[in-house]
């Protein structure tokens, strides 16, 4: 029982739950954006796409094709609307922090080397 209590009290469980809640809310946004894109495509081409009616050898493959198209659209939306801007922002801000950290580390190494050489005595 103690192990279960420790598992529940760890911070990772709360972080995972928070991530799932945010992911669920974000999924609704992506679905609505995908529906918006499909509506725009329908207006451009004069009607909704009808791949849902495709059958091969009596097997309805249309719903699977629809699911694949929706997945690719959602993946593209997530990539171009979330991932790319996040990577750009991270490169812009984190690179500056890493450069400062690298300079600090180099300075500390120089101090260490001076102390080891005995020239840093006061």
């Amino acid at each position: 029982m103690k192990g279960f209590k420790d598992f529940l009290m760890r911070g990772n469980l709360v972080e995972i739950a928070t991530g799932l809640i945010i992911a669920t809310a974000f999924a609704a946004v992506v679905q609505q954006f995908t529906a918006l894109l499909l509506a725009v495509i329908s207006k451009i081409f004069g009607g909704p796409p009808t791949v849902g009616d495709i059958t091969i050898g009596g097997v309805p493959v249309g719903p699977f094709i629809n699911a694949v198209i929706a997945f690719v659209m959602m993946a593209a939306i997530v990539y171009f609307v979330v991932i790319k801007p996040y990577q750009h922002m991270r490169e812009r801000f984190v690179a500056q922090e890493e450069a400062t950290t690298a300079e600090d580390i180099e300075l500390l190494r120089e101090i260490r080397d001076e102390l080891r050489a005995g020239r840093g005595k006061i």
Side-chain angles (χ1 to χ4, degrees), residues 31-96:
Q31 286 176 341
Q32 290 302 317
F33 190 72
T34 303
L36 175 70
L37 284 179
L38 285 174
V40 170
I41 291 170
S42 296
K43 291 286 184 183
I44 291 172
F45 292 109
T50 57
V51 292
D53 300 334
I54 296 175
T55 58
I56 296 177
V59 177
V61 295
F64 175 73
I65 294 172
N66 276 342
V68 169
I69 291 170
F71 172 77
V72 169
M73 288 179 68
M74 284 187 195
I77 291 166
V78 168
Y79 181 74
F80 290 110
V81 175
V82 177
I83 302 297
K84 287 299 280 184
Y86 174 75
Q87 287 175 342
H88 178 71
M89 179 191 70
R90 188 164 183 214
E91 288 172 0
R92 184 174 179 187
F93 294 112
V94 174
Q96 294 172 353

Side-chain angles (χ1 to χ4, degrees), residues 2-60:
K2 180 181 177 344
F4 183 68
K5 179 183 173 190
D6 291 341
F7 171 73
L8 289 177
M9 298 308 287
R10 285 196 323 207
N12 292 346
L13 187 63
V14 174
E15 292 171 2
I16 291 170
T18 303
L20 286 173
I21 292 167
I22 296 297
T24 303
F26 185 69
V29 172
V30 171
Q31 286 176 341
Q32 290 302 317
F33 190 72
T34 303
L36 175 70
L37 284 179
L38 285 174
V40 170
I41 291 170
S42 296
K43 291 286 184 183
I44 291 172
F45 292 109
T50 57
V51 292
D53 300 334
I54 296 175
T55 58
I56 296 177
V59 177

